């Protein structure tokens, strides 16, 4: 009987160690082959297994994260459990954290419940799980040549109550700091002196310079200075030579600007004059506006604009109504209620025949990508040389890369405006009151058959809507796969949001759920009374994702198996 028990124990040991004797097989992305995955799930009762990733080159460590009994552990590529499945989080391997983004550290903070501990990258406990928070501080002097080289830490900082404890990476206590509680803080008597304190080494304030014509408010080269003086309740400005106290430009102007060295634009009662540093008028007339732009001056007289060169010789007559977007080699202009484009030297580039012209600049390069023009209330694109890129037949047309898009985390992003990216995915157009898409060669990509079309955060999909009088909102929406030109869900929803990975948050009235890129609903729709309860996505580790909704967490592994864990 005793021999039979020993035999059974030996069989169990052989079965439990069979994976440790054979290196697991996975692809270049670290995803286990299905046979090995199923064996581990079956024999070791794992719920999930992430993909494998190299966490250290010296020594070579290739790890995956596994889930068992709703707890996490670390597994190496020989199926050896580096740690048992006892953690609620292995924060040191969580690639969504900034501290891990540029390489894994030599030690990993781990979490059980709300408490943190520290283990080495070989699974050895360094600090017990008892601290409120733990983070590593990297050695700044150590240069890494490869992302997979382990990050060497200088110290480990652990917080416990009002204590901050500083440890070596090996776990030796170096220092303990105690934060002062508010009720023990020293009482600071209020001071009504709002000026900044100065010590004896601080620089003294500049000495005020006065002249017979007023106080100096800006000192210039060649002993010149702009001065201002109060006259009848208003401060007026002028130009003085400080070496001789000679008044060069009378103190009678509302303000004086310096377009370039040695020249001054003086403005009085909306009339503009141009002087040199000797106080001589460079232009005999007054103008309604004078401004310098790159290598030209733009002057306005009798409501019309003209271009002058730097020698103040006219390059054009006073024939323009306005100037718009401009650069060193082009300028949008309006003449006789029509828009065109001219070179700053006055040469016409695009004829004056359009109702509007918008410039799209190259975002990461200099120069223009193209112009959007309007003619007979229709829009289209022309090249910077004026050649047609599309027909001028659209009610609206816009490159997707210039559309303001929300952050995948919910916040609004800064508008991109008219910066064109050469990785633009498509153009959204409206024609005959219906929306469609053009590709980057301006060929029809998606026919205009939708009542509304909205950019998603993923280049392979857009959100499309159709009117439905039977619905309270009068329109219904779906997700369109651009590559296949097929919708992945029925027209039965009112809102979608791409939030990361291969997933969309979907909304149907006051219900929220999640579907994948194939349109399969992986998290069923459920009633949501507060939009703060929406879903959030994060990639925790290679081949391990999480979709959160307050205290509900859905973990998805490399084989797209999902486990639901609730903290409720």
């Amino acid at each position: 009987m005793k021999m039979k028990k020993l035999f059974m124990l030996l069989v169990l040991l052989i079965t439990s160690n069979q994976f440790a004797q054979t290196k697991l097989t996975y692809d270049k992305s670290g995803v286990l082959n299905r046979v090995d995955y199923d064996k581990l799930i079956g024999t070791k009762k794992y719920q999930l297994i992430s993909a494998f990733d190299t966490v250290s080159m010296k020594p070579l460590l290739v790890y995956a994260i596994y889930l068992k009994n709703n707890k996490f552990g670390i597994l190496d590529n020989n199926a050896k459990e580096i740690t048992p499945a006892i953690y609620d989080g292995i924060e040191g391997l969580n690639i969504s954290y900034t501290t891990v983004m540029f390489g894994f550290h030599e030690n990993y903070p781990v979490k059980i419940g709300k408490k943190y501990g520290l283990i080495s990258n070989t699974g050895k406990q360094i600090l017990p799980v008892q601290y409120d928070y733990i983070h590593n501080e990297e050695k700044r002097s150590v240069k890494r040549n490869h992302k997979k080289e382990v990050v060497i830490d200088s110290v480990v900082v652990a917080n416990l109550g009002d204590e901050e404890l500083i440890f070596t990476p090996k776990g030796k206590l170096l220092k303990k700091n105690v934060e002062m509680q508010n009720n023990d803080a020293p009482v600071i008597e209020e001071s009504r002196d709002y000026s900044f304190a100065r010590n004896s080494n601080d620089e003294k304030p500049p000495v005020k310079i006065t002249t017979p014509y007023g106080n100096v408010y800006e000192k210039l080269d060649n002993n010149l200075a702009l001065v201002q003086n109060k006259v009848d309740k208003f401060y007026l400005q002028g130009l003085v030579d400080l070496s001789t106290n000679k008044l060069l430009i009378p103190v009678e102007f509302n303000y004086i600007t310096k377009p370039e060295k040695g020249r001054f634009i003086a403005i009085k009662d909306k009339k503009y004059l141009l002087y040199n540093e000797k106080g001589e008028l460079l232009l005999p007339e007054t103008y309604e506006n004078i401004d310098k732009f790159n290598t030209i001056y733009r002057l306005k007289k009798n409501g019309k604009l003209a271009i002058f060169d730097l020698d103040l010789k006219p390059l054009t007559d006073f024939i323009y109504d306005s100037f718009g977007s401009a650069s060193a080699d082009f300028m949008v202009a309006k003449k006789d209620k029509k828009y065109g484009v001219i070179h700053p030297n006055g040469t016409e580039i695009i004829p004056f025949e359009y109702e509007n012209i918008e410039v799209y600049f190259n975002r990461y390069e200099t120069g223009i990508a193209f112009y959007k023009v309007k003619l007979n209330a229709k829009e289209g694109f022309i090249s910077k040389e004026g050649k047609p890129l599309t027909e001028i037949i659209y009610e609206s047309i816009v490159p997707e890369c210039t559309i303001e898009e929300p952050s995948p985390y919910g916040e609004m992003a800064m508008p991109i405006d008219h910066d064109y990216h050469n990785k633009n995915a498509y153009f959204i157009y409206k024609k005959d009151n219906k929306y469609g898409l053009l590709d980057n060669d301006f060929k029809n990509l998606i026919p205009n058959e939708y009542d509304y079309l909205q950019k998603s955060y993923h280049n392979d999909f857009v959100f499309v809507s159709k009117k439905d009088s039977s619905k309270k909102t009068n329109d219904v929406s779906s997700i369109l796969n651009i590559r296949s030109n097929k919708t992945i869900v029925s027209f039965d929803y009112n809102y979608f949001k791409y939030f990361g990975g291969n997933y969309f948050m979907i909304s149907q009235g006051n219900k929220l759920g999640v579907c994948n890129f194939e349109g399969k609903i992986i998290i069923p729709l459920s009633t949501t009374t507060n939009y703060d309860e929406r879903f959030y996505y994060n990639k925790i580790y290679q081949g391990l994702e999480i979709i959160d909704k307050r205290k509900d967490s859905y973990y998805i592994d490399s084989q797209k198996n999902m486990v639901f864990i609730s903290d409720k």
Side-chain angles (χ1 to χ4, degrees):
M1 189 67 180
K2 187 179 291 186
M3 288 296 294
K4 186 175 181 181
K5 288 182 178 179
L6 286 173
F7 177 75
M8 291 299 294
L9 180 61
L10 182 61
V11 168
L12 286 171
L13 286 171
I14 291 171
T15 303
S16 63
N17 289 322
Q18 68 181 130
F19 281 103
Q21 297 169 10
T22 305
K23 189 172 183 179
L24 297 172
T25 305
Y26 43 85
D27 64 20
K28 62 181 180 181
S29 298
V31 177
L32 267 178
N33 71 39
R34 192 72 203 194
V35 173
D36 283 352
Y37 178 90
D38 289 341
K39 284 182 179 179
L40 286 170
I41 294 290
T43 60
K44 295 201 173 185
K45 307 302 179 187
Y46 295 162
Q47 295 164 279
L48 299 174
I49 306 171
S50 76
F52 284 88
D53 197 4
T54 303
V55 299
S56 170
M57 294 293 289
K58 294 180 181 180
L60 180 62
L61 302 174
V62 182
Y63 288 164
I65 295 174
Y66 70 97
L67 182 71
K68 183 176 181 180
N69 299 323
N70 287 356
K71 299 291 182 178
F72 292 101
I74 300 174
L75 185 74
D76 75 5
N77 57 345
N78 292 310
K80 178 184 176 183
E81 293 181 0
I82 302 302
T83 72
I86 58 174
Y87 301 112
D88 294 306
I90 302 173
E91 314 296 82
L93 291 180
N94 192 328
I95 58 176
S96 68
Y97 291 170
T98 305
T99 52
V100 184
M101 196 175 293
F102 303 106
F104 296 105
H105 289 244
E106 59 180 331
N107 298 321
Y108 306 149
V110 290
K111 188 178 181 183
I112 299 178
K114 295 183 178 180
K115 293 296 182 179
Y116 289 80
L118 190 72
I119 62 173
S120 72
N121 59 9
T122 57
K124 178 185 176 183
Q125 179 179 287
I126 295 174
L127 295 176
V129 181
Q130 65 183 36
Y131 300 95
D132 299 324
Y133 189 67
I134 288 178
H135 71 275
N136 305 319
E137 293 192 0
E138 178 181 346
K139 279 188 179 178
R140 299 298 176 186
S141 60
V142 176
K143 183 178 180 181
R144 293 184 297 125
N145 297 316
H146 193 282
K147 183 178 177 179
K148 296 302 182 185
E149 289 184 27
V150 69
V151 179
I152 305 300
D153 296 315
S154 57
V155 294
V156 176
V157 182
N159 298 99
L160 183 61
D162 60 357
E163 294 181 336
E164 181 185 70
L165 300 104
I166 313 298
F167 294 92
T168 68
K170 300 296 184 183
K172 180 181 178 182
L173 181 63
L174 296 175
K175 187 179 180 183
K176 182 187 293 187
N177 300 321
V178 180
E179 294 181 8
M180 185 178 292
Q181 299 296 322
N182 290 336
N183 55 1
D184 295 329
V187 177
I188 307 296
E189 193 169 327
E190 184 181 4
S191 171
R192 294 291 179 178
D193 182 6
Y194 296 110
S195 61
F196 289 104
R198 291 180 175 271
N199 58 41
S200 58
N201 296 323
D202 282 341
E203 186 178 325
K204 294 182 179 180
V207 178
K208 183 185 291 185
I209 302 174
T210 60
T211 74
Y213 313 102
N215 295 327
V216 172
Y217 77 89
E218 186 176 356
K219 210 173 172 185
L220 308 172
D221 295 335
N222 301 327
N223 285 318
L224 302 179
L226 292 171
V227 298
Q228 63 181 8
N229 195 19
K230 192 173 184 181
V231 179
D232 296 331
K233 298 181 181 180
F234 297 100
Y235 282 96
L236 300 179
Q237 299 178 358
L239 181 70
V240 172
D241 185 337
L242 295 177
S243 63
T244 61
N245 261 343
K246 180 181 178 181
L247 184 64
L248 303 175
I249 298 177
V251 184
E252 59 184 45
F253 295 96
N254 302 113
Y255 54 96
I256 296 174
T257 65
K258 306 184 295 295
E260 59 179 315
K261 187 174 182 180
R263 288 183 175 176
F264 301 88
I265 298 173
I267 302 101
K268 178 182 180 182
D269 300 328
K270 299 182 180 180
K271 298 295 182 182
Y272 290 68
L273 294 167
L274 186 64
Y275 288 91
N276 65 15
E277 60 184 1
K278 295 179 181 179
E280 300 168 338
L281 275 173
L282 298 177
L283 293 168
E285 302 179 67
T286 60
Y287 295 91
E288 293 153 32
N289 188 58
I290 299 174
D291 78 88
K292 180 180 177 291
F293 178 77
N294 289 333
T295 59
I296 60 170
Y297 279 89
R298 301 185 290 197
L299 281 65
K300 188 174 186 180
K301 183 173 72 171
N302 298 325
K304 297 292 183 178
L305 292 157
I307 301 172
F308 283 52
D309 64 18
L310 293 181
D311 294 326
L312 302 178
K313 295 176 181 177
L315 298 174
T316 70
D317 295 329
F318 286 87
I319 58 174
Y320 300 106
D321 301 315
S322 64
F323 294 130
S325 297
S327 186
D329 55 359
F330 84 95
M331 187 156 53
V332 175
K334 185 180 181 183
K335 182 175 69 171
D336 299 328
K337 298 182 180 180
K338 296 290 185 180
Y339 287 87
V341 180
I342 60 174
H343 190 279
N345 64 14
T347 306
E348 185 177 285
I349 300 173
I350 308 293
F352 286 81
E353 59 186 30
Y354 298 105
E355 294 151 20
N356 192 39
I357 295 180
E358 295 178 33
V359 183
Y360 285 85
F361 295 91
N362 289 310
R363 188 180 303 176
Y364 300 119
E365 303 171 18
T366 58
I368 307 163
F370 44 73
Y371 298 105
K372 181 163 74 174
V373 297
K374 180 180 280 190
L375 184 63
N376 299 323
K378 302 294 184 182
E379 295 182 349
F381 290 113
I382 61 174
S383 70
K384 60 183 180 181
E385 295 81 20
K387 296 178 181 179
L389 299 175
T390 70
E391 295 181 85
I392 306 174
I393 56 174
Y394 304 102
E395 284 113 74
S396 67
I397 183 168
V398 62
E400 64 80 19
C401 69
T402 63
I403 298 173
E404 181 178 351
E405 58 188 6
S407 159
Y409 305 103
E411 302 85 5
M412 293 303 294
M414 291 294 289
I416 298 170
D417 201 19
H418 282 65
D419 286 348
Y420 180 76
H421 195 310
N422 59 10
K423 293 184 179 179
N424 179 66
Y426 49 79
F427 292 81
I428 300 176
Y429 73 88
K430 184 181 181 183
K431 183 185 175 188
D432 301 328
N433 210 31
K434 297 285 186 179
Y435 287 88
L437 299 180
L438 299 182
D439 64 19
N440 284 330
D441 294 322
F442 303 105
K443 294 178 181 177
N444 213 30
L445 181 62
I446 300 295
N448 55 313
E449 56 187 39
Y450 299 102
D451 292 309
Y452 189 64
L453 189 151
Q454 182 183 0
K455 172 181 178 176
S456 79
Y457 202 77
H458 194 285
N459 286 341
D460 289 341
F461 297 90
V462 289
F463 305 140
V464 292
S465 301
K466 290 184 177 181
K467 293 188 182 302
D468 185 346
S469 58
S470 68
K471 302 290 183 181
K472 290 182 179 180
T473 57
N474 205 35
D475 60 3
V476 287
S477 299
S478 182
I479 304 169
L480 179 71
N481 185 320
I482 298 171
R483 309 306 161 197
S484 65
N485 191 18
K486 292 181 180 179
T487 54
I488 64 171
V489 295
S490 61
F491 279 88
D492 204 25
Y493 300 90
N494 60 285
Y495 175 78
F496 302 102
K497 181 180 178 62
Y498 172 67
F499 57 13
N502 296 331
Y503 311 104
F504 292 101
M505 182 167 65
I506 58 178
S507 171
Q508 197 176 69
N510 64 345
K511 295 181 178 180
L512 289 179
V514 175
C515 76
N516 63 19
F517 279 6
E518 287 73 46
K520 179 183 177 182
I521 296 178
I522 63 168
I523 300 177
L525 291 157
S526 60
T527 302
T528 301
T529 57
N530 186 345
Y531 191 65
D532 287 340
E533 296 178 2
R534 64 190 184 274
F535 294 98
Y536 296 88
Y537 169 87
N538 252 320
K539 184 177 180 181
I540 300 177
Y541 189 69
Q542 185 77 358
L544 184 61
E545 304 164 298
I546 181 173
I547 298 175
D548 277 312
K549 184 183 177 186
R550 284 191 178 269
K551 294 185 178 182
D552 292 343
S553 298
Y554 300 83
Y555 293 94
I556 305 168
D557 73 4
S558 57
Q559 302 288 344
K560 300 305 176 184
N561 286 335
M562 185 170 74
V563 171
F564 168 67
I565 299 177
S566 179
D567 291 337
K568 292 177 183 177

